[in-house]
Amino acid sequence: MNNSAPGIPLYQQITEVLRQRLESGVPSAGDRMPSELQLCAEFSVSRTTVRHALGRLKQEGILSSRRGAGTHRLSRPTPNKLVRSAGDPLHGALASHPRVVAIGQVAAPGPVAAFFGLDPAASVLRVIRVHELAEQPLSVVISYLEVAAVKAVTRRALRDASMHEILWQQLGIRQQRSVHAIKVARADAEVAQLLKVGLADPVLSIQSSVYASDDTPVRWTDNYFREGRYEYTAEMLWPDPSISLAEPDAPRRPVRRPAAS
């Protein structure tokens, strides 16, 4: 691929080129996209790389394909719902570029050990990445996984696939749901250096706890976003009140109230 950007996976670069074309109206809504072979020839990449790029655009609701009918541009993107996302709900539609800063085994911090049900200070795999947008840091993502993931989650693997894809394809672990805790935090020395902000500057902290379909803990992630560069929007799905009233014995979710100041 000509004019490729070092350090950014080819499929991501192709995804961005195609997204820009689609946003500019080429092809028109409903029109057929070039074939996979045509895209392979244009970008001088493998069919696997092209399929990966097209797959991302399908996940975002920009493209649709049917066997025998080819791939077509949709009239408008389908809104991303932040429930049961197949990828990263915090960065998925931003086209940010993740860069691995550090990866290795460390002693589990207290909350992480409790999340995985490990003895205090047991070893876990820690991965630190910086997401960049427009050549500026957007977020620091610090993920913790059990040591069984060490052989699959590597620097090389993370260059070509997301954490979610690696866990599924290499370890057969399917992420089913995540719980997000949002607050304003102060940048410590490590986060401040990576985000290029001042020590103790305010940052948006989103702690994500990810579980498999059987509620087994999969991944603990601390996300830190630069203030002013990120807005978190969540879509809540409300049940039909008539159904709720018709089932008075149905279990209710606990009401979350703000902490006392």
Side-chain angles (χ1 to χ4, degrees), residues 19 60 80-81 94 138 159-160 208 216 245 252 260:
R19 183 186 288 109
E60 295 175 21
N80 287 329
K81 298 186 185 299
L94 298 178
L138 171 71
R159 283 199 299 266
D160 300 322
S208 174
T216 299
L245 292 173
R252 296 188 177 185

Side-chain angles (χ1 to χ4, degrees), residues 13-229:
Q13 297 180 50
I14 295 170
T15 300
E16 289 312 304
V17 172
L18 295 178
R19 183 186 288 109
Q20 290 173 13
R21 290 180 185 175
L22 292 165
E23 289 176 350
S24 67
V26 182
S28 301
D31 285 354
R32 187 167 182 168
M33 287 281 293
S35 69
E36 291 180 358
L37 291 178
Q38 289 173 319
L39 293 173
C40 289
E42 177 183 352
F43 294 108
S44 300
V45 296
S46 69
R47 198 163 187 172
T48 299
T49 300
V50 166
R51 285 179 174 175
H52 203 161
L54 293 175
R56 287 301 178 91
L57 296 173
K58 292 173 188 176
Q59 287 179 0
E60 295 175 21
I62 299 173
L63 295 178
S64 177
S65 64
R66 287 187 305 166
R67 185 180 296 275
T71 301
H72 297 262
R73 175 175 179 253
L74 296 177
S75 58
R76 58 184 178 183
T78 302
N80 287 329
K81 298 186 185 299
L82 301 181
V83 244
R84 298 186 181 180
S85 170
D88 179 354
L90 300 182
H91 300 86
L94 298 178
S96 58
H97 304 301
R99 172 173 58 88
V100 177
V101 174
I103 183 169
Q105 295 187 49
V106 299
V112 175
F115 172 70
F116 286 113
L118 302 172
D119 293 333
S123 291
V124 291
L125 175 65
R126 182 184 67 174
V127 181
I128 303 178
R129 289 169 291 171
V130 173
H131 277 256
E132 296 177 342
L133 192 62
E135 300 182 355
Q136 291 295 323
L138 171 71
S139 66
V140 174
V141 180
I142 305 176
S143 298
Y144 298 91
L145 304 100
E146 293 193 82
V147 292
V150 167
K151 291 184 178 179
V153 181
T154 63
R155 284 180 180 270
R156 182 174 181 179
L158 288 167
R159 283 199 299 266
D160 300 322
S162 68
M163 184 84 74
H164 171 81
E165 291 164 335
I166 295 170
L167 293 176
W168 168 242
Q169 295 172 1
Q170 302 298 324
L171 300 176
I173 298 174
R174 181 176 180 179
Q175 299 178 170
Q176 178 70 17
R177 67 182 182 91
S178 61
V179 178
H180 297 165
I182 307 171
K183 65 180 181 180
V184 175
R186 298 287 178 178
D188 62 18
E190 182 175 48
V191 170
Q193 180 181 15
L194 293 173
L195 282 183
K196 298 181 180 178
V197 299
L199 181 64
D201 275 2
V203 291
L204 177 63
S205 168
I206 303 179
Q207 190 278 311
S208 174
S209 304
V210 183
Y211 301 86
S213 56
D214 60 357
D215 266 357
T216 299
V218 173
R219 176 160 53 110
W220 173 286
T221 301
D222 292 313
N223 301 271
Y224 300 98
F225 292 86
R226 285 185 64 170
E227 185 185 33
R229 293 207 71 202

